[in-house]
């Protein structure tokens, strides 16, 4: 009796599993379809796209569209390609991610290990910044950037993104450090370590997972931001704004192959970050909740 | 003036006073145990000595220097935490020398101190490991090693054995005791385990509800508890405390207690001063080991009183057999030899060693001094 039941269980298990995998593969293919279209069309001459099938593989393989998108395509009025804007984005993203992550870590450290009256209210107010829509702050932000003399510059964009990111990074690090035993901090105090030494020698070495989360989150958000870039970029617009200017240009022939190549170029850095650190991303998101 | 003086110390959180005028003076080389139930203020007091919590009023001085407001690292103390608090990213060696490094001790001296302590605690083979690779007992040793390396004036232990399993706990207890006897260091040790308190300490402070109930040697605490709380907290099973009436028989004070069937048993006191309590109610305290089978009674005692009473429950524990009976309306536990001839529901003659009995004032619950 028992053997029969077990046998049936295994068989139904196998059938169900085959079905589940089939559905999953189908969904995966469906989600990969846009990527396929972009890659395939970025590698064909323009004639093949306008004259034929979007779904077909390139008849003649070419990397011309990529080179054009990178260095010669018309962005607005200048035929510079996306290259200078890519550099702008890097110059904006790297300091903005670094500064907001470091400040978030310090905030989290203070809010959990150096508690003071009203700390929870302060944390609540910082969290509030995560829920403010970008559009609301555009005008006051412009005023402040103007008064600081940072309008239309990369440092201005860095400042804007640091201010916006600090709520998230503080949330991450605060929750992560809340699960970190306070006795360790007390032990280090008795051992004679000061505020920054405890942070540097005791907390930071075990903050790997949450730092990955913070960096990926901040990098993706700042890299992909369009509104702040378009509003405050001025002469130093980031990649996203340039891509828009490339794709939305209303004069001349629409060079779809170049547009596809440019869009992939704009998405590559965030893709790269996910591929390299994505494994740790999930692990870091879970870490704070499971420990404790 | 002692080596560590806690004088008139109070602690309040908002309007709540959690420690009330604590006065404890510890001599150099003493092993003081603060014992009490959760929330009695013992850990708070330890943290105040360490400087991890502020002092609301009063003074704490270490080695002749008042340390109120002095940073923990400048009090020349070392602390062993309940969770051991080993830095997870550092090796055992780095963990142990971190404090010396922070205090600017040069590397050769650090290495020498590390080698000495590692040898003393027999953890030389663990020095390159991370805390995550150690067993509970090994972590415990490393945590003690980290404290020893500093060679501080006072060691503070915050329930260091409570995370270990029962057998290891007994082993580590012996080890801590041996360490103290060899090194003659001054130790303040917090625990809720009264057996740890009895075995380790040279003096015990029993704390309850923010008050030091009694401060004394283990023997004083055990034999002459200041009040009913201390009497029942220390010792396992707890001291039996039953209602009794004092009556004079043949010129000596006796305690009258009712047996299971309502008849009174007269137990002659060894303390003559209880004659003043003639005709009044008291609380009679007798430890389980002072109620035995007649053959197991203390031969050195001059005052063994036999009483016959009904056996209600028998609990053999291997080494001893615990027998429960009713006296004065309460369950009273007697401690018999393992092979005592007892059976549930039978009448049995118990031998009560009244030399060890104590009497409490039922109104104040304080012990009536002989």
């Amino acid at each position: 009796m028992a053997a029969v039941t077990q046998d049936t269980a295994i068989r139904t298990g196998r059938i169900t599993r085959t079905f589940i995998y089939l559905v999953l593969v189908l969904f995966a293919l469906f989600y990969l379809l846009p990527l396929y279209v972009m890659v395939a069309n970025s590698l064909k001459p323009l004639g093949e796209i306008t004259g034929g099938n979007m779904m077909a593989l390139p008849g003649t393989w070419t990397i011309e569209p990529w080179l054009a998108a990178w260095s010669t395509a018309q962005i607005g009025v200048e035929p510079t390609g996306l290259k200078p804007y890519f550099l702008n984005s890097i110059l904006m993203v790297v300091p903005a991610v670094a500064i907001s992550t470091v400040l978030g870590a310090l905030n989290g450290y203070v809010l959990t290990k150096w508690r003071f009256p009203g700390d929870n209210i302060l944390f609540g107010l910082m969290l509030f910044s995560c829920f403010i829509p970008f559009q609301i702050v555009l005008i006051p932000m412009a005023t402040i950037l103007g008064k600081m003399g940072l309008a239309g510059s990369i440092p201005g964009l860095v400042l804007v993104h640091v201010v916006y990111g600090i709520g998230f990074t503080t949330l991450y690090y605060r929750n992560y450090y809340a699960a970190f035993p306070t006795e360790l901090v007390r032990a280090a105090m008795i051992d004679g370590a000061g505020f920054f030494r405890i942070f540097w020698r005791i907390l930071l070495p075990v903050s790997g997972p949450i730092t990955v989360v913070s960096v990926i989150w901040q990098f993706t958000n700042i890299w992909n931001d369009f509104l702040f870039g378009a509003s405050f970029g001025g002469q130093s617009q980031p990649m996203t704004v340039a891509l828009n200017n490339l794709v939305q240009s209303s004069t001349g022939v629409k060079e779809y192959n170049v547009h596809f190549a440019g869009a992939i170029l704009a998405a590559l850095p965030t893709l790269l970050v996910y591929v390299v650190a994505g494994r740790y991303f999930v692990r870091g998101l879970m870490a704070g909740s499971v420990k404790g | 003036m002692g080596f560590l003086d806690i004088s008139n110390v109070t602690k309040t959180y908002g309007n709540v006073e959690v420690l009330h005028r604590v006065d404890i003076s510890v001599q150099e080389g003493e092993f003081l145990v603060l014992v009490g139930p959760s929330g009695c203020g013992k850990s708070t007091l330890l943290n105040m000595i360490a400087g991890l919590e502020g002092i609301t009023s009063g003074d704490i001085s270490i080695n002749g220097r008042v340390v109120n407001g002095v940073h923990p690292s400048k009090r020349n103390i070392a602390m062993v935490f309940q969770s051991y608090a080993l830095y997870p990213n550092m090796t055992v060696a780095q963990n142990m020398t971190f404090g010396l490094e922070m205090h600017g001790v040069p590397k050769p001296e650090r290495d020498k101190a590390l080698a000495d302590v590692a040898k003393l605690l027999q953890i030389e083979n663990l020095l390159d490991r991370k805390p995550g690779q150690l067993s509970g007992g090994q972590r415990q040793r490393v945590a003690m090693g980290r404290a020893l390396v500093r060679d501080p004036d006072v060691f503070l232990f915050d329930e260091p054995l409570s995370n270990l399993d029962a057998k290891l706990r007994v082993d580590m207890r012996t080890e801590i005791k041996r360490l103290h006897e060899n090194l003659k260091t001054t130790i303040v040790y917090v625990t809720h385990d009264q057996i740890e308190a009895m075995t380790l300490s040279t003096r015990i402070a029993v704390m309850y509800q923010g008050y030091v109930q009694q401060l004394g040697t283990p023997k004083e605490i055990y034999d002459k508890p200041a009040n009913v709380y201390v009497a029942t907290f220390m010792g396992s099973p707890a001291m039996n405390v039953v209602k009794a009436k004092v009556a004079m028989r043949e010129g000596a004070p006796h305690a009258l207690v009712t047996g299971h069937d309502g008849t009174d048993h007269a137990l002659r006191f060894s303390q003559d001063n209880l004659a003043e309590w003639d005709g009044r109610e008291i609380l009679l305290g007798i430890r389980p080991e002072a109620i035995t089978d007649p053959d197991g009674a203390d031969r050195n005692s001059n005052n063994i009183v036999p009483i016959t009473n009904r056996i209600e429950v028998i609990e053999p524990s291997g080494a001893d057999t615990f027998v429960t009976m009713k006296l004065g309306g309460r369950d009273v536990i007697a401690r018999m030899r393992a092979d005592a001839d007892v059976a549930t529901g039978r009448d049995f003659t118990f031998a009560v060693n009244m030399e060890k009995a104590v009497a409490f004032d039922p109104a104040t619950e304080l012990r009536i001094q002989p």
Side-chain angles (χ1 to χ4, degrees):
Chain A
M1 185 68 191
V4 172
T5 329
Q6 204 177 24
D7 185 45
T8 344
I10 289 169
R11 211 181 310 150
T12 41
R14 208 172 286 156
I15 293 165
T16 324
R17 211 173 302 161
T18 316
F19 178 72
I20 290 173
Y21 277 119
L22 207 70
V23 171
L24 286 177
V25 167
L26 279 174
F27 270 110
L29 287 176
F30 183 70
Y31 280 108
L32 282 171
L33 210 55
L35 183 67
Y36 164 77
V37 169
M38 287 179 71
V39 174
N41 288 300
S42 72
L43 291 168
K44 14 175 130 152
L46 185 60
E48 276 186 44
I49 302 176
T50 48
N53 187 353
M54 282 257 288
M55 301 304 290
L57 278 170
T60 333
W61 294 80
T62 169
I63 57 161
E64 270 309 312
W66 284 75
L67 298 176
W70 182 246
S71 53
T72 60
Q74 192 81 17
I75 309 290
V77 290
E78 304 284 338
T80 55
L82 290 169
K83 192 165 67 175
Y85 302 96
F86 190 85
L87 194 70
N88 281 348
S89 269
I90 296 281
L91 288 178
M92 168 187 78
V93 164
V94 172
V97 169
I99 295 170
S100 60
T101 300
V102 167
L103 288 179
L106 279 171
N107 284 342
Y109 171 48
V110 171
L111 287 170
T112 52
K113 304 301 171 209
W114 299 82
R115 307 281 304 271
F116 51 90
D119 53 355
N120 274 328
I121 295 172
L122 186 75
F123 176 58
L125 289 174
M126 296 191 76
L127 269 192
F128 202 59
S129 77
C130 299
F131 303 109
I132 298 176
F134 281 17
Q135 292 81 346
I136 290 182
V137 298
L138 281 182
I139 291 171
M141 192 79 92
T143 317
I144 288 171
L145 286 177
K147 284 192 174 143
M148 291 174 81
L150 291 174
S153 70
I154 286 179
L157 281 177
V158 169
L159 177 71
V160 171
H161 285 299
V162 166
V163 169
Y164 240 101
I166 219 165
F168 286 100
T169 56
T170 301
L171 170 70
Y172 292 145
Y173 279 96
R174 185 212 171 258
N175 288 354
Y176 190 76
Y177 289 152
F180 187 86
T182 304
E183 280 197 348
L184 279 170
V185 176
R186 295 185 150 197
M189 270 169 79
I190 291 178
D191 271 344
F195 178 86
F196 284 105
R197 203 93 72 111
I198 293 173
F199 180 63
W200 187 252
R201 295 280 299 268
I202 312 292
L203 269 90
L204 221 49
V206 294
S207 305
I210 203 65
T211 304
V212 169
V213 169
S214 176
V215 166
I216 290 190
W217 178 266
Q218 284 298 95
F219 187 94
T220 315
N221 273 352
I222 299 174
W223 185 274
N224 288 340
D225 163 70
F226 176 76
L227 187 63
F228 285 155
S231 310
F232 307 128
Q235 292 311 302
S236 31
Q237 284 169 340
M239 189 80 167
T240 45
V241 179
L243 181 68
N244 176 64
N245 294 349
L246 170 72
V247 177
Q248 303 287 353
S249 59
S250 49
T251 52
V253 184
K254 286 253 181 206
E255 291 182 298
Y256 290 113
N257 52 355
V258 176
H259 297 174
F260 279 131
I264 297 174
L265 277 175
L268 266 186
T270 48
L271 264 178
L272 193 74
V273 168
Y274 266 108
V275 170
V276 171
R279 260 182 324 139
Y280 303 98
F281 185 71
V282 180
R283 214 179 289 170
L285 279 182
M286 303 299 291
S289 53
V290 181
K291 271 184 181 171
Chain B
M1 276 290 277
F3 190 68
L4 165 66
D5 273 318
I6 302 164
S7 39
N8 229 338
V9 163
T10 59
K11 175 76 183 175
T12 54
Y13 291 111
N15 293 325
V16 189
E17 191 165 283
V18 294
L19 278 179
H20 318 275
R21 297 184 166 273
V22 174
D23 270 303
I24 299 174
S25 179
V26 183
Q27 301 304 315
E28 187 161 11
E30 255 198 296
F31 196 133
L32 174 76
V33 172
L34 306 175
V35 66
S38 310
C40 70
K42 57 190 192 299
S43 287
T44 307
L45 183 59
L46 193 76
N47 284 338
M48 286 161 79
I49 300 171
L52 297 169
E53 299 216 29
I55 301 165
T56 308
S57 71
D59 286 316
I60 293 179
S61 64
I62 298 173
N63 204 357
R65 176 173 67 123
V66 176
V67 293
N68 300 9
V70 174
H71 190 268
S73 65
K74 302 203 167 62
R75 296 188 177 200
N76 206 11
I77 48 139
M79 191 156 170
V80 177
F81 292 89
Q82 185 173 6
S83 66
Y84 317 136
L86 301 176
Y87 311 125
N89 55 310
M90 300 185 199
T91 64
V92 167
Q94 287 167 334
N95 258 289
M96 286 171 65
T97 53
F98 185 70
L100 294 178
E101 190 194 330
M102 291 298 120
H103 281 83
V105 177
K107 182 111 174 57
E109 276 179 51
R110 288 191 330 236
D111 288 345
K112 183 170 181 312
L114 174 68
D116 289 349
V117 171
K119 191 163 173 228
L120 179 73
L121 293 173
Q122 297 167 339
I123 50 174
E124 291 138 305
N125 54 331
L126 305 176
L127 292 179
D128 295 325
R129 296 210 203 155
K130 293 275 177 72
Q133 298 165 304
L134 302 178
S135 70
Q138 290 170 331
R139 283 181 208 186
Q140 173 65 52
R141 267 165 211 270
V142 174
M144 287 193 335
R146 185 171 67 181
L148 283 170
V149 153
R150 296 268 311 276
D151 192 24
D153 286 339
V154 180
F155 285 90
L156 306 174
F157 285 78
D158 189 4
E159 308 214 14
L161 302 183
S162 56
N163 281 358
L164 299 176
D165 63 62
K167 171 145 185 4
L168 202 52
R169 193 179 306 167
V170 175
D171 294 348
M172 288 308 293
R173 204 168 69 199
T174 315
E175 196 148 333
I176 292 176
K177 177 105 180 176
R178 186 178 297 136
L179 212 59
H180 176 249
E181 274 167 10
N182 290 341
L183 300 175
K184 296 278 175 245
T185 47
T186 312
I187 296 178
V188 180
Y189 185 109
V190 161
T191 180
H192 60 262
D193 181 347
Q194 44 92 15
I195 297 176
E196 268 175 39
M198 290 295 295
T199 50
L200 287 171
S201 67
T202 58
R203 271 200 304 161
I204 298 176
V206 181
M207 297 184 65
Y208 182 55
Q209 292 183 338
Y211 289 96
V212 174
Q213 302 284 332
Q214 190 175 3
L215 176 65
T217 63
K219 192 167 169 51
E220 283 166 5
I221 300 267
Y222 196 75
D223 288 342
K224 295 177 175 139
N227 55 38
V228 173
Y229 182 78
V230 175
T232 50
F233 185 78
M234 302 300 288
S236 174
M239 180 186 267
N240 301 300
V241 179
V242 296
K243 278 194 189 128
K245 199 169 175 185
V246 180
M248 297 301 285
R249 302 269 170 92
E250 300 156 9
H254 284 62
L256 300 182
V257 287
T258 41
H260 76 282
D261 51 3
T263 55
D264 276 353
H265 299 281
L267 303 163
R268 185 170 66 81
F269 278 113
S270 289
Q271 303 99 303
D272 289 333
N273 68 314
L274 284 162
E276 296 164 19
W277 286 73
D278 185 16
R280 288 157 69 185
E281 292 250 318
I282 57 149
L283 291 172
L284 176 66
I286 312 172
R287 296 229 173 253
E289 62 269 26
I291 311 175
T292 54
D293 52 308
D295 290 344
D298 185 357
R299 280 167 229 287
N300 297 323
S301 171
N302 295 317
N303 190 5
I304 302 281
V305 183
I307 58 168
T308 303
N309 208 355
R310 171 96 21 106
I311 293 174
E312 299 203 334
V313 182
I314 297 172
E315 294 164 285
S317 76
D320 306 294
T321 299
F322 295 103
V323 175
T324 306
M325 59 161 163
K326 275 253 185 315
L327 272 186
R330 296 240 192 120
D331 282 345
V332 167
I333 294 177
R335 186 178 199 153
M336 309 277 170
R337 292 168 304 146
D339 50 2
D341 180 26
V342 289
T344 311
R346 234 174 52 191
D347 281 344
F348 184 80
T349 303
F350 295 87
V352 181
N353 181 1
M354 285 299 285
E355 272 195 350
K356 293 283 187 185
V358 288
F360 299 98
D361 182 333
T364 61
E365 297 209 334
L366 295 176
R367 187 168 58 92
I368 299 164
Q369 302 281 345

